[in-house]
Amino acid sequence: MYIVTATQKGYYANKIIQEGASFQIKEISDFSSNWMATEDKDLLAALESNGKCKASPDLGLDAESAAAEIALLEDKVGELTTINEEAEAQNLDLKKQIEAVEAENEKLKKQLTAQKGEVTKLQNQLAAKEGK
């Protein structure tokens, strides 16, 4: 058994493996450089010999730097969440404004229809007077 890490989502041993997950493979031939990485020295040696070597990426962060990076990302997520909430509120306001405009439009259409009816009535009265 060899320990590997998924560098992207993959499928192994009838299971979906999520990116970043560590798991075990049974055989060296099970290793896929397309979506797996490893730091397992025995596996690395075997892979080097057949040209399939892909070591796990070194992020170059110590625990303190990683914690600071996580904090920055959490702040950014908070900012983006706030922006998203504000956008959703604006969207709701715009939907209400659209509904109000549509209601006013319907009211004006009814007034226009009534006025057209009145014009037709007056035209008919005028035609009747002229016809006499």
mmCIF file of all heavy atoms in Angstrom, residues 61-75:
data_model
loop_
_atom_site.group_PDB
_atom_site.id
_atom_site.type_symbol
_atom_site.label_atom_id
_atom_site.label_comp_id
_atom_site.label_asym_id
_atom_site.label_seq_id
_atom_site.Cartn_x
_atom_site.Cartn_y
_atom_site.Cartn_z
ATOM 1 N N LEU A 61 4.760 26.978 3.004
ATOM 2 C CA LEU A 61 4.195 27.719 4.117
ATOM 3 C C LEU A 61 4.408 26.959 5.426
ATOM 4 O O LEU A 61 4.148 25.771 5.494
ATOM 5 C CB LEU A 61 2.687 27.911 3.921
ATOM 6 C CG LEU A 61 2.224 28.707 2.709
ATOM 7 C CD1 LEU A 61 0.714 28.697 2.620
ATOM 8 C CD2 LEU A 61 2.728 30.132 2.801
ATOM 9 N N ASP A 62 4.891 27.679 6.420
ATOM 10 C CA ASP A 62 4.932 27.067 7.744
ATOM 11 C C ASP A 62 3.549 27.241 8.375
ATOM 12 O O ASP A 62 2.665 27.878 7.797
ATOM 13 C CB ASP A 62 6.035 27.692 8.604
ATOM 14 C CG ASP A 62 5.877 29.204 8.764
ATOM 15 O OD1 ASP A 62 4.767 29.717 8.547
ATOM 16 O OD2 ASP A 62 6.865 29.859 9.113
ATOM 17 N N ALA A 63 3.347 26.685 9.536
ATOM 18 C CA ALA A 63 2.019 26.725 10.166
ATOM 19 C C ALA A 63 1.541 28.161 10.399
ATOM 20 O O ALA A 63 0.377 28.481 10.176
ATOM 21 C CB ALA A 63 2.044 25.951 11.486
ATOM 22 N N GLU A 64 2.448 29.035 10.825
ATOM 23 C CA GLU A 64 2.076 30.426 11.092
ATOM 24 C C GLU A 64 1.677 31.146 9.804
ATOM 25 O O GLU A 64 0.668 31.852 9.756
ATOM 26 C CB GLU A 64 3.245 31.157 11.759
ATOM 27 C CG GLU A 64 2.902 32.549 12.239
ATOM 28 C CD GLU A 64 4.055 33.180 12.999
ATOM 29 O OE1 GLU A 64 4.691 32.496 13.818
ATOM 30 O OE2 GLU A 64 4.288 34.375 12.748
ATOM 31 N N SER A 65 2.456 30.945 8.743
ATOM 32 C CA SER A 65 2.127 31.565 7.455
ATOM 33 C C SER A 65 0.823 31.021 6.905
ATOM 34 O O SER A 65 0.014 31.758 6.344
ATOM 35 C CB SER A 65 3.248 31.319 6.446
ATOM 36 O OG SER A 65 4.448 31.909 6.893
ATOM 37 N N ALA A 66 0.629 29.717 7.056
ATOM 38 C CA ALA A 66 -0.612 29.103 6.584
ATOM 39 C C ALA A 66 -1.806 29.658 7.348
ATOM 40 O O ALA A 66 -2.843 29.959 6.758
ATOM 41 C CB ALA A 66 -0.538 27.586 6.733
ATOM 42 N N ALA A 67 -1.650 29.834 8.659
ATOM 43 C CA ALA A 67 -2.736 30.385 9.470
ATOM 44 C C ALA A 67 -3.050 31.824 9.032
ATOM 45 O O ALA A 67 -4.216 32.213 8.946
ATOM 46 C CB ALA A 67 -2.378 30.340 10.948
ATOM 47 N N ALA A 68 -2.008 32.592 8.754
ATOM 48 C CA ALA A 68 -2.207 33.974 8.295
ATOM 49 C C ALA A 68 -2.898 33.985 6.930
ATOM 50 O O ALA A 68 -3.807 34.788 6.694
ATOM 51 C CB ALA A 68 -0.869 34.702 8.208
ATOM 52 N N GLU A 69 -2.498 33.087 6.061
ATOM 53 C CA GLU A 69 -3.121 32.994 4.738
ATOM 54 C C GLU A 69 -4.590 32.597 4.865
ATOM 55 O O GLU A 69 -5.460 33.161 4.187
ATOM 56 C CB GLU A 69 -2.360 31.962 3.879
ATOM 57 C CG GLU A 69 -2.827 31.886 2.453
ATOM 58 C CD GLU A 69 -2.457 33.091 1.622
ATOM 59 O OE1 GLU A 69 -1.538 33.843 1.980
ATOM 60 O OE2 GLU A 69 -3.125 33.286 0.597
ATOM 61 N N ILE A 70 -4.875 31.668 5.739
ATOM 62 C CA ILE A 70 -6.260 31.240 5.985
ATOM 63 C C ILE A 70 -7.083 32.408 6.517
ATOM 64 O O ILE A 70 -8.216 32.635 6.087
ATOM 65 C CB ILE A 70 -6.307 30.035 6.941
ATOM 66 C CG1 ILE A 70 -5.781 28.788 6.225
ATOM 67 C CG2 ILE A 70 -7.713 29.799 7.477
ATOM 68 C CD1 ILE A 70 -5.512 27.613 7.139
ATOM 69 N N ALA A 71 -6.505 33.175 7.447
ATOM 70 C CA ALA A 71 -7.214 34.328 8.012
ATOM 71 C C ALA A 71 -7.528 35.360 6.917
ATOM 72 O O ALA A 71 -8.631 35.908 6.874
ATOM 73 C CB ALA A 71 -6.396 34.966 9.126
ATOM 74 N N LEU A 72 -6.570 35.606 6.036
ATOM 75 C CA LEU A 72 -6.798 36.538 4.928
ATOM 76 C C LEU A 72 -7.916 36.037 4.015
ATOM 77 O O LEU A 72 -8.784 36.807 3.601
ATOM 78 C CB LEU A 72 -5.514 36.735 4.114
ATOM 79 C CG LEU A 72 -4.418 37.572 4.759
ATOM 80 C CD1 LEU A 72 -3.142 37.520 3.920
ATOM 81 C CD2 LEU A 72 -4.875 39.010 4.938
ATOM 82 N N LEU A 73 -7.878 34.742 3.726
ATOM 83 C CA LEU A 73 -8.913 34.175 2.865
ATOM 84 C C LEU A 73 -10.281 34.215 3.541
ATOM 85 O O LEU A 73 -11.295 34.483 2.882
ATOM 86 C CB LEU A 73 -8.541 32.742 2.474
ATOM 87 C CG LEU A 73 -7.334 32.619 1.543
ATOM 88 C CD1 LEU A 73 -6.939 31.165 1.371
ATOM 89 C CD2 LEU A 73 -7.598 33.278 0.205
ATOM 90 N N GLU A 74 -10.323 33.980 4.847
ATOM 91 C CA GLU A 74 -11.595 34.065 5.572
ATOM 92 C C GLU A 74 -12.133 35.493 5.549
ATOM 93 O O GLU A 74 -13.332 35.708 5.405
ATOM 94 C CB GLU A 74 -11.431 33.561 7.005
ATOM 95 C CG GLU A 74 -11.287 32.048 7.094
ATOM 96 C CD GLU A 74 -10.970 31.548 8.487
ATOM 97 O OE1 GLU A 74 -10.545 32.348 9.348
ATOM 98 O OE2 GLU A 74 -11.123 30.338 8.709
ATOM 99 N N ASP A 75 -11.222 36.485 5.692
ATOM 100 C CA ASP A 75 -11.644 37.888 5.592
ATOM 101 C C ASP A 75 -12.217 38.177 4.208
ATOM 102 O O ASP A 75 -13.243 38.848 4.076
ATOM 103 C CB ASP A 75 -10.463 38.835 5.856
ATOM 104 C CG ASP A 75 -10.078 38.888 7.331
ATOM 105 O OD1 ASP A 75 -10.872 38.424 8.175
ATOM 106 O OD2 ASP A 75 -8.985 39.412 7.626
#
